[in-house]
Amino acid sequence: MTFKQFRNKPIVKIISNKYVLILLTFIVWMVFFDENSWLNHREFNKEIDKLNSEKEYYNSQIEKDKELIQKLDDTEELEKFAREEYKMKKENEEIYIIEYDTLKKK
């Protein structure tokens, strides 16, 4: 195949068109090299999704803590919480902590 035959093919004519070359260069530049490229936007969207999931987690934790604070307004609940979480006791009282071994023995 000679150069003239190759040049006369329709696909080669389309690709060698200066407007198509400029458009392809622009597209490649915008997708890969530009400061606002598609790759950067994809990374930012992933980070936004991650931050939104963290926000949901922390909002749920805040709700749990609000419920706990409301429960601790009652003196009996406050005493129960102090005993369970901080191993506090009254005077002349003994506390026995029973821990179960979760490992299976051979």
Side-chain angles (χ1 to χ4, degrees), residues 21-73:
L21 287 173
I22 290 171
L23 180 66
L24 285 174
T25 305
F26 176 75
I27 290 172
V28 168
W29 179 263
M30 291 306 289
V31 170
F32 297 107
F33 302 115
D34 191 49
E35 183 177 312
N36 299 317
S37 72
W38 176 77
L39 297 173
N40 285 343
H41 279 279
R42 201 175 88 197
E43 288 178 30
F44 292 147
N45 286 337
K46 285 181 183 178
E47 182 144 356
I48 288 171
D49 292 339
K50 180 183 148 199
L51 291 172
N52 281 334
S53 67
E54 284 181 16
K55 179 182 171 185
E56 290 174 13
Y57 168 75
Y58 288 123
N59 282 335
S60 69
Q61 290 299 108
I62 287 170
E63 289 301 318
K64 287 180 185 177
D65 289 343
K66 282 181 182 178
E67 290 174 11
L68 180 63
I69 289 170
Q70 286 178 351
K71 280 175 49 177
L72 292 179
D73 283 340

Side-chain angles (χ1 to χ4, degrees), residues 76-92:
E76 289 177 15
E77 287 292 326
L78 182 61
E79 185 177 323
K80 179 182 173 187
F81 181 78
R83 287 173 182 262
E84 290 176 357
E85 295 295 320
Y86 297 108
K87 314 295 189 258
M88 292 184 166
K89 63 177 187 156
K90 294 180 182 178
E91 286 186 31
N92 301 326

